Amino acid sequence: MILPVTLVIAAAIGLINVWLALGVGRDRVSSKIMLGDGGEAAMTARIRAHGNLTEYAPTALILMALIELARGPSLWLWIVGAVFILVRLAHAFGIVRPAPSVLRMIGALGTWVVIIVLAIWALEISYQAEWTPPVRSMQIGQPAA
């Protein structure tokens, strides 16, 4: 089964991931810091922007895929996925700015809200699923187990 919503959002996250990784790599070359952050705040921020995406994206994508498998593509899933992309971009741009950063705050809070919404949606689907106990066959003359 093809999951069009999850595929598009995963592709966008993949592109953002590479964009953030290239930013880290570019800064490593220009500052000659090949490992760690060299004690530079700007390098730390770029590393964390990339790392933070890789920490949160899998959870959101797994929840999206499972919801899409259970219910199929929907306008609401497209909206939640688009919001996830936007808040991850806000976080990426905000984390490299001096604190306090409104974009970083929007990115972090938005990410949490999206994951909470997806988790509640997944629980709601699970709760609504029809749970039927397995049928045990009994033969006449045998005691019930």
Side-chain angles (χ1 to χ4, degrees):
M1 172 178 213
I2 295 174
L3 305 175
V5 180
T6 305
L7 281 170
V8 169
I9 302 307
I13 291 294
L15 293 172
I16 294 169
N17 189 9
V18 170
W19 169 65
L20 292 171
L22 289 171
V24 172
R26 183 187 63 240
D27 283 4
R28 287 195 181 287
V29 170
S30 67
S31 63
K32 296 183 175 66
I33 301 170
M34 294 301 121
L35 186 62
D37 61 16
E40 292 189 22
M43 179 63 81
T44 302
R46 289 216 185 271
I47 291 168
R48 286 308 310 140
H50 181 245
N52 194 272
L53 176 73
T54 63
E55 292 163 4
Y56 284 104
T59 302
L61 291 172
I62 289 167
L63 285 166
M64 286 184 67
L66 292 172
I67 290 167
E68 193 169 9
L69 278 170
R71 292 284 167 93
S74 73
L75 177 61
W76 286 111
L77 196 59
W78 280 110
I79 291 169
V80 171
V83 168
F84 186 68
I85 296 299
L86 292 174
V87 298
R88 294 315 309 162
L89 286 170
H91 186 271
F93 283 111
I95 200 168
V96 296
R97 287 179 168 59
S101 170
V102 173
L103 285 175
R104 182 179 181 190
M105 181 188 67
I106 290 169
L109 293 176
T111 297
W112 299 337
V113 168
V114 165
I115 289 176
I116 289 168
V117 165
L118 289 169
I120 290 170
W121 193 353
L123 287 170
E124 181 262 337
I125 290 169
S126 176
Y127 179 76
Q128 287 184 353
E130 291 185 33
W131 296 97
T132 55
V135 177
R136 300 179 82 186
S137 65
M138 289 188 356
Q139 294 181 355
I140 297 175
Q142 287 186 331

